[in-house]
Structures are given as structure tokens and as C-alpha cells.
Amino acid sequence: MICDIITQPAPVAVSIAGKMHPINWDFRAGIEFDAIRDSDMPEEWKFEKMLKLYYGDLNDLGNILEAVERLKWFYRCGEPDEEENEDKKAKRYVRKTSKEPAYSLSQDTAYIYAAFLDQYGIDLATVRDLHWWKFMALFESLNEDTKMSKIMYYRKASVSGMDRERRAFINEMKKLYRIRRGKSEKMTLEQRNERWKKYVRERLSGK
């Protein structure tokens, strides 16, 4: 659920150390964030790139730890910090789901582009001033007959209880549309949060 973006303006700045700091609110930053997070680069490099992506000059932030928390809040579109937040959103497609993620914004760009153009008439390659929160509201509301929604269904669907022919088809679709993960260490949200904190401590100590 995206926070209210009808009666309240979508944020273009966040409060850090008592001061409002501009944040990169364009939807492309969210897609790039997704790509960085799932890349093979070391975690500390990821954190540095993520922070610079959203804030630019890190020396102006004042409180790095608070900046990290506000960044995560912004990326989640104001939602609570919950484990596997993307998977929770994806459960609306099927009751029984696999543990695989439903989508990768960075890898599914072609399907997302086609779905937005078909359903909303929005050309994501040329659109300007599309806020990340608005992009996600539109993304989560894609019709079930778009190819992107069908792909998300295939990825999340459990084949338990299906007849042999249907199970074979779904498994083939899972293989065809599997998300290609890098070789980087797979972490839970809690583990990643601890890495964030470690990065902040080391940065503040000058290591």
C-alpha cells in the first residue's frame, strides 16, 4: 500500500538531522537502486552508490544513519519496514506462492515498459517528472492480462495441487522468466540492515 499521494504531495525531500534534504525522487532512481542492490559488487560499495544516487554529496547529510533510514523509507514508498516487503506485495497475484521474488525492476524493464505503454499510454523512456511513489502505485495496479502481471504470477505460483500438464507449463514459464541473480551473498532484510549500520559506523570512524 502506497501512502496517500492524492491529498498529500509525494515527497521530494526528507528530514535529516532536523533539516530538509532533497532526495532523487525520479522513478529511474528506484530502478537503479534495485539494480545496485542485486548486483555482485561488495555491500559497502552498494551502500555508497545507493546513498549518492539519492542524495548526491554525502558530506552535506549531517547524520548518515538517519539518511540511510530515510532513504529506505522513501524507497518503500512510506510503508513500514517489513521483511521481504516486495514478496508481501506480490501475494495479491496468487494465494499459494513460492519463495522466489515476483519481479526485478532492473531486469523486467522491457515488460514494465510495454505494460505501462499499453495500459496507461505512458512511455517510460521519455516521460518526465514521474515520481517513484506514483510509478509504484501504477506498477502495483497493472491489469492481470498484461504480460508483466502474468510473468509475476508464473514466478510466484506454487505448482502444488496442479495437474501434470498445468504443472509442467508453469515450471517451464518459471524457467523461462526466472530472475537472474548475481553471485553476491543473499541476505535477509535484518542482515542487510546490520550491514547498513556497520557501513555507517565505519564511515563515521574514518575507516
Side-chain angles (χ1 to χ4, degrees):
M1 178 180 178
I2 308 295
C3 285
D4 184 1
I5 55 176
I6 296 178
T7 63
Q8 300 293 328
V12 296
V14 293
S15 177
I16 302 173
K19 295 175 60 177
M20 295 304 295
H21 196 289
I23 193 166
N24 187 353
W25 50 265
D26 188 85
F27 78 98
R28 294 175 181 86
I31 295 175
E32 189 172 347
F33 179 98
D34 184 82
I36 295 171
R37 183 187 58 186
D38 295 334
S39 71
D40 287 334
M41 69 179 68
E43 288 297 315
E44 59 272 16
W45 292 10
K46 292 183 184 181
F47 301 149
E48 191 86 19
K49 288 180 70 69
M50 289 172 180
L51 286 166
K52 288 181 177 179
L53 172 66
Y54 277 102
Y55 296 122
D57 187 357
L58 304 187
N59 294 321
D60 294 335
L61 293 179
N63 187 320
I64 293 292
L65 185 57
E66 189 174 351
V68 167
E69 294 304 316
R70 299 309 289 169
L71 184 160
K72 292 191 293 182
W73 170 84
F74 182 85
Y75 179 80
R76 296 191 308 269
C77 303
E79 291 188 359
D81 191 354
E82 297 178 356
E83 178 66 46
E84 305 298 339
N85 197 43
E86 290 88 348
D87 286 345
K88 182 182 178 183
K89 295 176 187 175
K91 288 181 180 178
R92 68 185 179 89
Y93 294 97
V94 282
R95 289 186 178 180
K96 293 183 177 180
T97 62
S98 72
K99 294 182 180 180
E100 294 301 312
Y103 60 84
S104 166
L105 296 177
S106 58
Q107 292 183 37
D108 292 330
T109 51
Y111 305 122
I112 296 171
Y113 173 86
F116 270 62
L117 190 61
D118 179 57
Q119 182 169 328
Y120 305 119
I122 297 175
D123 187 334
L124 292 176
T126 59
V127 68
R128 294 291 180 267
D129 301 329
L130 178 56
H131 194 283
W132 168 244
W133 288 22
K134 295 179 181 179
F135 167 82
M136 287 304 297
L138 294 171
F139 176 71
E140 292 181 17
S141 301
L142 289 175
N143 293 332
E144 292 185 0
D145 59 352
T146 63
K147 187 169 184 178
M148 185 66 234
S149 291
K150 291 178 180 179
I151 290 172
M152 287 192 282
Y153 167 81
Y154 296 144
R155 288 170 176 162
K156 295 300 297 180
S158 170
V159 298
S160 176
M162 293 183 180
D163 60 51
R164 184 170 62 180
E165 183 176 352
R166 180 65 176 172
R167 183 167 61 249
F169 171 76
I170 294 296
N171 282 333
E172 186 64 27
M173 293 300 101
K174 286 180 180 292
K175 184 184 301 183
L176 179 63
Y177 295 113
R178 71 186 183 279
I179 294 175
R180 301 177 303 279
R181 295 296 187 186
K183 298 179 182 179
S184 59
E185 179 184 0
K186 186 176 181 180
M187 293 185 292
T188 65
L189 185 61
E190 182 179 359
Q191 289 172 325
R192 177 163 273 117
N193 283 341
E194 287 303 313
R195 291 288 183 89
W196 273 107
K197 293 175 183 177
K198 180 181 178 183
Y199 163 79
V200 171
R201 288 195 299 269
E202 292 179 350
R203 194 176 194 282
L204 292 177
S205 65
K207 293 182 179 180

